[in-house]
Amino acid sequence: MNELQGAGVALITPFHADGTVDYDTLGNLIDFQIEGGIDYLVSLGTTGETATLTQDERKKVWQFTSKHVNKRIPLVAGIGGNNTYEIVEQIKNFETLDYVAILSVSPYYNKPTQEGIYQHYKAIAEASKLPIILYNVPGRTGSNMTAATTVRLANDFKNIIATKEASGNFAQFSEILRDMPKGFLLISGDDPVTLPMMAMGAAGIISVVGNAYPTKVSALAHLCREGNFEEARAIHLELLRIIDLCFVEGNPAGVKYILEKKGIGQDHVRLPLVPVGPKTREAIDAEMQLLA
């Protein structure tokens, strides 16, 4: 699916001080991404603090995002969780608007077997009007979706078109690339490994740091796709410290602080997340000076 090649960004959800969604900032952020050369956007993935939004809020964010993007670039909606029945119902009732795919995280907390993960995605694939992107992030879910399960799903369901891999397991990446069907996409789910994954054959990245540095992230992904790894390496190394700082006190607290420093909204997050502390702010301030 060519629309999902290159640089995607998992958008934050900006909040006002009272905790309500800040749609003005969301609109400014979307424009910032498009002007920075990002290829597609993910609305309400993990970085969007989706777990703390109500269903009504999620629906309004999807609608606003679709309207504001106005077909300028493709959109992906994040719809996932650990209650298969509930996710299936959400997907059945999803107003597709201008979204081209659904990103759905592997079930968390329950720690299902590989067969349980397979059956979960089978139910989603059979219910969805849109293509599905699998999302494997063991650090958050507590369980790993193996390469064998990923490839099995890719072969059994033509509307399962990609996987966002955030396992950090390069042997697993290699197995997926070796065994996946033609046209299936492996997408990096971790900013620090975008370059090596794309060198192996991944299609691109769904980025967090791209919220704040879309021009650099898009340039990195596009250079990798062109096979220009020497120039891509320079951007990769330049971004490593700021990427680390984005996650040192939790995602998206770090990147929201960076955006505030750039004049795009404020760093409000919803509990149980809290803003980054003074030491991290100082470190981010210093690194931003180097990246300016």
Side-chain angles (χ1 to χ4, degrees):
M1 193 171 185
N2 291 332
E3 294 168 305
L4 302 178
Q5 306 272 352
V9 164
L11 290 169
I12 65 156
T13 301
F15 298 120
H16 294 291
D18 65 359
T20 57
V21 177
D22 180 353
Y23 288 101
D24 288 339
T25 294
L26 180 56
N28 292 336
L29 178 64
I30 289 168
D31 293 338
F32 183 54
Q33 302 304 304
I34 295 172
E35 290 161 8
I38 292 300
D39 297 299
Y40 64 97
L41 297 172
V42 177
S43 178
L44 298 186
T46 304
T47 304
E49 297 177 72
T50 312
T52 63
L53 270 65
T54 67
Q55 182 59 32
D56 184 59
E57 286 174 323
R58 291 195 290 269
K59 183 176 180 180
K60 288 177 180 176
V61 169
W62 283 321
Q63 289 173 337
F64 175 88
T65 301
S66 175
K67 184 177 180 180
H68 193 86
V69 168
N70 194 26
K71 304 182 188 296
R72 288 179 287 172
I73 57 174
L75 289 171
V76 173
I79 306 177
N82 61 345
N83 181 339
T84 306
Y85 174 81
E86 181 182 7
I87 298 307
V88 165
E89 289 303 304
Q90 288 181 23
I91 287 173
K92 283 180 178 178
N93 294 320
F94 180 64
E95 297 175 12
T96 55
L97 303 167
D98 294 317
Y99 290 83
V100 301
I102 289 169
L103 174 68
S104 195
V105 69
S106 183
Y108 48 81
Y109 188 75
N110 309 58
K111 290 192 174 182
T113 63
Q114 294 302 304
E115 185 61 27
I117 293 171
Y118 176 88
Q119 293 296 333
H120 173 83
Y121 279 117
K122 177 178 185 288
I124 287 172
E126 290 174 344
S128 180
K129 301 182 285 288
L130 290 175
I132 301 296
I133 305 168
L134 311 174
Y135 181 15
N136 183 39
V137 55
R140 286 185 176 271
T141 64
S143 66
N144 178 54
M145 178 165 52
T146 65
T149 299
T150 298
V151 172
R152 181 186 174 197
L153 286 163
N155 280 314
D156 289 355
F157 302 97
K158 298 305 178 187
N159 63 336
I160 294 181
I161 54 143
T163 184
K164 178 185 176 185
E165 259 287 338
S167 65
N169 185 333
F170 276 81
Q172 184 159 295
F173 304 155
S174 298
E175 291 174 24
I176 294 169
L177 287 163
R178 181 192 65 197
D179 299 334
M180 67 188 192
K182 185 178 180 180
F184 188 78
L185 302 178
L186 172 67
I187 300 170
S188 170
D190 281 323
D191 280 292
V193 298
T194 302
L195 186 149
M197 282 188 70
M198 292 191 73
M200 292 170 63
I205 171 72
I206 295 177
S207 173
V208 172
V209 75
N211 278 279
Y213 293 99
T215 303
K216 291 183 184 295
V217 169
S218 62
L220 170 61
H222 296 160
L223 287 165
C224 286
R225 284 188 52 74
E226 294 164 6
N228 188 345
F229 292 107
E230 185 173 352
E231 288 188 45
R233 189 182 304 117
I235 301 172
H236 164 75
L237 296 174
E238 182 185 25
L239 287 173
L240 281 179
R241 286 193 183 89
I242 202 72
I243 290 169
D244 287 344
L245 290 166
C246 280
F247 293 94
V248 70
E249 291 193 50
N251 180 39
V255 77
K256 280 192 167 184
Y257 177 69
I258 298 169
L259 285 167
E260 180 180 282
K261 295 290 290 185
K262 284 176 168 278
I264 303 174
Q266 297 175 297
D267 68 339
H268 303 302
V269 290
R270 284 188 175 177
L271 289 169
L273 299 182
V274 294
V276 296
K279 288 186 178 180
T280 300
R281 289 171 185 260
E282 290 175 11
I284 288 173
D285 290 348
E287 190 61 25
M288 288 183 72
Q289 290 293 321
L290 298 175
L291 286 170

